Amino acid sequence: RDAVAGADLPGALVPAGAAVLAFCLVLAVLDAGIRTLTGTSPRVALGRPGLLTRSLGPVAVHGLAGLMMAVLWLSPYGPVAALLVLLPMCVAWWAFAQYHRERAAHQATIRALVQAVDIKDGYTRGHSERVGRATMMIARELGMDDERVETLRFAGILHDVGKLGVPTRLLRKEGALTPEERRVIELHPEYGHEMVRGIRFLGEARAAVLHHHERLDGSGYPYGLVGDRIPESARVVAVADAFDAMTSTRSYRRARPVAAALAELQRCAGRQFDPRMVGALVRALARHGWHPSVTADSHPVPPAATPLPG
């Protein structure tokens, strides 16, 4: 207060900075407490620095602007100069509001696309949201920052959006597909990529939509990429997609128990799936569990003799 009263801005920066840091730390601790109460382990909740780093910048900027107003108000320049500080703050507020409105519009578009896929393929209703959830669990287990976790969640949600370009009769067909029908269905990653490539904020999620059916050994589609040439985001979504497909009832087979699905993922790790992603999912499920809408709790299905179809 004495520093402000003397219009000494440098002298006021240290206590103001300490106040900003204390505020952000309290905010992060409260966020971790809420996450712990909702089921997240305390170690994971406290170990996520995303909220602290995200809030530190905006709070510091607003705190500095408020401090400048107080210093100018008490300076020889008077209240008029202090009020001029409000102008850039209003511009910044308008820019942030525009950003959030645009992001909300994109999210509404994503929800509409997912609902359209769910309506077209009734057997996979809810699959996209569950894959988004499993993708998010893997990404967090790998230590990715919050912004990238959110991007990968979008990748999981949108991975099957290309099925809108596949005839409904093929999606709902009971029994084995003919080679021609399988080739038509295998076009859905390319259809999906065409649909989302114009949504710029999706970033690497677009690559995941295109490549989530690639396999480490090069036997996947659409381009037969091998190993690390497959984008990391696609390798994450591939594991989440296969896991939910196995633990959900489909037209051509019933669901497997979670333990059997994880065993199958581990069996195919290194050939079809990235072992890092499989291990991350196993660790995440051991901590948080999994509660799919439809699952099998008994009478496990024998493991497939060939790698999962994806």
Side-chain angles (χ1 to χ4, degrees), residues 282-302:
V282 170
R283 293 193 301 273
L285 292 178
R287 246 198 309 272
H288 307 295
W290 182 255
H291 305 287
S293 58
V294 180
T295 188
D297 296 321
S298 60
H299 309 298
V301 176

Side-chain angles (χ1 to χ4, degrees), residues 163-212:
K163 286 184 176 179
L164 290 174
V166 176
T168 304
R169 63 179 179 81
L170 297 184
L171 297 176
R172 298 185 178 182
K173 180 179 178 179
E174 297 186 6
L177 297 169
T178 66
E180 292 77 15
E181 290 171 338
R182 179 168 287 274
R183 280 195 290 271
V184 171
I185 287 184
E186 288 179 355
L187 290 173
H188 81 268
E190 295 176 275
Y191 292 156
H193 184 254
E194 285 296 311
M195 295 174 70
V196 303
R197 69 176 181 174
I199 307 179
R200 290 174 300 190
F201 90 95
L202 286 176
E204 64 179 325
R206 294 171 293 186
V209 171
L210 179 60
H211 296 295
H212 69 278

Side-chain angles (χ1 to χ4, degrees), residues 12 35 78 94 117 149 189 202 221 225 253 274 309:
R35 290 181 181 276
W94 178 83
V117 174
V149 168
L202 286 176
Y221 60 90
L225 301 183
R253 52 129 182 88
D274 188 323

Side-chain angles (χ1 to χ4, degrees), residues 156-289:
I157 291 173
L158 289 172
H159 76 285
D160 270 346
V161 71
K163 286 184 176 179
L164 290 174
V166 176
T168 304
R169 63 179 179 81
L170 297 184
L171 297 176
R172 298 185 178 182
K173 180 179 178 179
E174 297 186 6
L177 297 169
T178 66
E180 292 77 15
E181 290 171 338
R182 179 168 287 274
R183 280 195 290 271
V184 171
I185 287 184
E186 288 179 355
L187 290 173
H188 81 268
E190 295 176 275
Y191 292 156
H193 184 254
E194 285 296 311
M195 295 174 70
V196 303
R197 69 176 181 174
I199 307 179
R200 290 174 300 190
F201 90 95
L202 286 176
E204 64 179 325
R206 294 171 293 186
V209 171
L210 179 60
H211 296 295
H212 69 278
H213 280 297
E214 304 283 3
R215 301 185 180 191
L216 292 189
D217 62 5
S219 64
Y221 60 90
Y223 301 128
L225 301 183
V226 178
D228 290 341
R229 295 189 64 185
I230 304 171
E232 186 178 45
S233 58
R235 284 178 271 145
V236 173
V237 173
V239 171
D241 182 26
F243 171 74
D244 184 71
M246 285 189 288
T247 55
S248 302
T249 295
R250 297 293 178 87
S251 60
Y252 47 87
R253 52 129 182 88
R254 58 188 173 82
R256 299 186 186 190
V258 168
L262 292 178
E264 184 68 6
L265 288 173
Q266 291 171 320
R267 187 181 73 83
C268 296
R271 184 170 74 252
Q272 179 174 349
F273 304 112
D274 188 323
R276 284 182 60 239
M277 312 312 174
V278 174
L281 179 62
V282 170
R283 293 193 301 273
L285 292 178
R287 246 198 309 272
H288 307 295

Side-chain angles (χ1 to χ4, degrees), residues 1 52 54 121 144 151 159 244 259 282:
R1 187 176 182 279
L52 178 62
R54 285 202 317 272
D121 188 2
M144 297 180 184
T151 298
H159 76 285
D244 184 71
V282 170

